Amino acid sequence: MRQVLVVTGGSRGIGAAITRAAHARGYAVCVAYARDDGAADRLRAELPGVVAVRADVADPASATALFDAAEESLGPVTGLVNNAGVTGPLGRFVDASAATLRRVLDVNVLGTMLCAHEAVRRWEAQGAAGRIVNVSSRAAGLGSPGEYVHYAASKAAVETFTLGLAKEVAAQGIRVNGVAPGMIRTDIHATAGDPGRLERVVGRVPMGRAGEPAEIAAAVLWLLSDEASYVTGAVLQVGGGL
Ligand code: NAP
């Protein structure tokens, strides 16, 4: 059966690496992105057949539109990677605005839940066994003081959601897992306001270097694959020991 994968935030960074790895393994992929049409166009040109949909995962209408678009273009969706995520500006919790707190929770937590809801609802109706991988962060276990406590808390919610949903749907053959990246070389640090963040904090990483997006993609693809057939409710830490 053809594997059809939805990757949120699939146009740049870790999501683009997941899309490349999935495409190379023969998956049909539909990515969602928020704003950057240019990045989505470049990915479509690089990977023929990849479908890109501009859809804000925090919008309750987006998940249905995204899955409809994926199904119409590629066929029934068999896997979902909830990768879209934002940090808000770096800084102390007390200085974060209410709008930042709401946006981070809306994208990271509500967005993940809405897409998972849509996937499980469809798989239950079809009697299908799907796979979900939620992208968390090592921040969930570290708390990220002085940088983005609210972001860390949102990723802790993603991890607990992963655990509970995995148990709830395990008997239907649906597997739900997570990957918690450490410090990975993407634009997210510049977007948070500190382009030099990786160089500044890499000394905290036991392996002594930042990770590459492809190293996260490899873990995600393994969890999606049949090699992980007995793995559900797990959150795999991919942080060089962080
Ligand atoms: P990134 O380089 O900033 O890329 C983010 C991607 O998500 C882009 O494709 C972006 O689309 C999309 N996106 C953002 N908000 C969205 C929304 N509301 N709806 C749909 N798509 C949205 O980020 P990244 O570093 O690859 O991070 C990917 C995931 O890994 C996130 O969940 C992040 O929290 C997690 N993570 C990253 C690191 C790290 O060090 N990089 C570490 C731990 C965890 P546009 O291009 O249109 O903006």
Side-chain angles (χ1 to χ4, degrees), residues 8-15 32-37 39 55-58 82-87 103 107-108 135-138 151 155 180-189 191 197-198:
T8 68
S11 59
R12 293 192 290 115
I14 291 169
Y33 66 100
R35 273 176 301 270
D36 188 344
D37 296 319
D56 178 352
V57 295
N82 276 311
N83 164 79
V86 293
T87 63
R103 183 65 184 161
V107 175
N108 298 0
V135 178
S136 175
S137 170
R138 286 297 297 125
Y151 167 78
K155 292 299 191 174
M183 315 268 188
I184 310 302
R185 200 174 301 286
T186 72
D187 292 339
I188 202 170
H189 313 286
T191 306
R197 178 171 178 267
L198 277 185

Side-chain angles (χ1 to χ4, degrees), residues 1-198:
M1 190 176 115
R2 189 184 200 203
Q3 299 294 318
V4 176
L5 189 63
V6 169
V7 181
T8 68
S11 59
R12 293 192 290 115
I14 291 169
I18 293 167
T19 301
R20 284 188 188 95
H23 185 265
R25 286 164 176 76
Y27 286 78
V29 187
C30 175
V31 307
Y33 66 100
R35 273 176 301 270
D36 188 344
D37 296 319
D41 288 344
R42 285 191 292 280
L43 194 77
R44 268 191 288 242
E46 176 191 336
L47 304 174
V50 165
V51 173
V53 177
R54 187 167 173 161
D56 178 352
V57 295
D59 177 348
S62 282
T64 304
L66 173 61
F67 276 70
D68 281 349
E71 274 196 18
E72 276 163 29
S73 314
L74 305 172
V77 175
T78 60
L80 165 67
V81 181
N82 276 311
N83 164 79
V86 293
T87 63
L90 281 165
R92 296 182 69 234
F93 173 71
V94 75
D95 295 327
S97 69
T100 292
L101 303 183
R102 183 178 294 283
R103 183 65 184 161
V104 168
L105 290 168
D106 276 357
V107 175
N108 298 0
V109 183
L110 188 64
T112 293
M113 289 182 178
L114 290 170
C115 288
H117 192 269
E118 190 68 28
V120 171
R121 197 179 60 73
R122 286 177 192 235
W123 292 333
E124 284 191 348
Q126 297 158 2
R131 288 120 196 235
I132 298 176
V133 176
N134 296 321
V135 178
S136 175
S137 170
R138 286 297 297 125
L142 299 168
S144 304
E147 294 201 316
Y148 29 52
V149 166
H150 48 287
Y151 167 78
S154 77
K155 292 299 191 174
V158 167
E159 294 194 5
T160 304
F161 174 65
T162 300
L163 182 66
L165 183 63
K167 292 179 178 179
E168 193 167 293
V169 298
Q172 292 154 246
I174 299 172
R175 295 193 295 104
V176 186
N177 290 292
V179 169
M183 315 268 188
I184 310 302
R185 200 174 301 286
T186 72
D187 292 339
I188 202 170
H189 313 286
T191 306
D194 185 0
R197 178 171 178 267
L198 277 185

